[in-house]
Amino acid sequence: MPTPAAIVGLTVTVCFSPGADADWFAACEKVHDLLDAHGTPTRRYHVRHRPVIGWLTRFFGYYLLDAVRRFGAVTRAAGGRKSRLDLTRTAATAARHATLRWRAWNTLIATTTRPARPWEDFLAHHHAAPATIPPNEARRRFEQQPQVLAMIAHHLDPYELSAYQAGEHTYVGLHWRIALIGDALITTKGRLLTPASDSVADRFRFLNEACTYVRGLRPDARLCAITLA
């Protein structure tokens, strides 16, 4: 299990069976029991407004957790009944932003600097010889590469370099899945799903499993997104 310092800022999606107590306090209890960490709800989901009847229900926050309003209408929530959360729009928004980031990287960085080795390579060298290559030295060697320096200068996360290098569709696919799931998922039966490692491949395996699980939940099941503190 990661240390408390390593999981601060991570987002966990907590799932509840239909009819179960599903407020954010119950979600935080599940997170504390499995990860020994505290957290607060994070409003990451768009709220669904159905045609016709949506003109009325958009002003009500029933079956939603920690909803936020704009001009009186409910627009986002930290969770709630699956049928009230617009998961498609949530994924589409994340995909659009990820597309813009990847194209900026491709135009400003990939075509103007030499390809860099991703962070995973340097981390593997550290694990193979921790006495010779301590964490700070591995980080220094990674960040001194011109392409990585350019990413830092343009406010792009250099630790996602391997995902950027995998191409636009892979990068975008990673981020729309992250928008739906976050960094971990707790099932209705209390099972904790997490990536086996920080590699992009393991993150995809986890996210694919978690997305399949959420897709299979009943419409009246509930979700809650918790950010660890």
Side-chain angles (χ1 to χ4, degrees):
M1 181 181 296
T3 63
I7 64 177
V8 170
L10 300 185
T11 299
V12 180
T13 298
V14 184
C15 305
F16 294 91
S17 300
D21 291 335
D23 55 19
W24 72 265
F25 182 75
C28 288
E29 279 193 321
K30 284 193 174 188
V31 168
H32 184 267
D33 290 343
L34 290 172
L35 292 170
D36 192 25
H38 299 283
T40 56
T42 179
R43 296 160 174 162
R44 62 190 292 118
Y45 300 111
H46 287 283
V47 175
R48 175 180 295 172
H49 301 300
R50 298 182 183 278
V52 183
I53 193 174
W55 287 104
L56 176 64
T57 60
R58 70 176 57 238
F59 297 103
F60 299 96
Y62 64 89
Y63 299 134
L64 294 173
L65 300 175
D66 197 35
V68 64
R69 297 175 181 271
R70 185 179 183 187
F71 304 119
V74 178
T75 56
R76 282 181 174 268
R81 182 178 282 189
K82 179 184 168 184
S83 60
R84 285 223 66 191
L85 302 178
D86 194 340
L87 301 182
T88 299
R89 185 180 174 195
T90 300
T93 299
R96 184 171 65 253
H97 292 164
T99 298
L100 294 175
R101 286 196 305 275
W102 188 90
R103 292 179 180 177
W105 174 83
N106 189 52
T107 300
L108 300 173
I109 297 172
T111 58
T112 60
T113 58
R114 291 174 301 173
R117 292 162 56 199
W119 167 241
E120 290 85 351
D121 288 359
F122 294 86
L123 192 60
H125 291 160
H126 158 65
H127 289 316
T132 306
I133 308 176
N136 289 343
E137 175 61 16
R139 191 177 302 276
R140 185 194 67 79
R141 294 184 185 184
F142 168 66
E143 292 184 345
Q144 74 177 0
Q145 299 177 101
Q147 189 170 87
V148 173
L149 289 173
M151 292 182 70
I152 295 172
H154 286 86
H155 303 286
L156 299 173
D157 186 356
Y159 295 92
E160 289 191 332
L161 179 59
S162 56
Y164 278 105
Q165 291 176 339
E168 179 179 349
H169 293 297
T170 300
Y171 182 80
V172 171
L174 176 68
H175 279 276
W176 71 251
R177 288 168 172 84
I178 291 173
L180 295 178
I181 304 299
D183 303 290
L185 180 137
I186 299 175
T187 70
T188 58
K189 297 185 181 300
R191 179 188 171 207
L192 176 65
L193 304 181
T194 59
S197 73
D198 290 334
S199 73
V200 175
D202 280 336
R203 293 180 74 190
F204 263 116
R205 291 186 185 97
F206 152 70
L207 289 167
N208 287 340
E209 180 184 4
C211 285
T212 299
Y213 177 82
V214 170
R215 189 182 301 116
L217 291 174
R218 286 173 40 178
D220 53 348
R222 301 199 189 193
L223 309 175
C224 183
I226 299 292
T227 297
L228 305 185

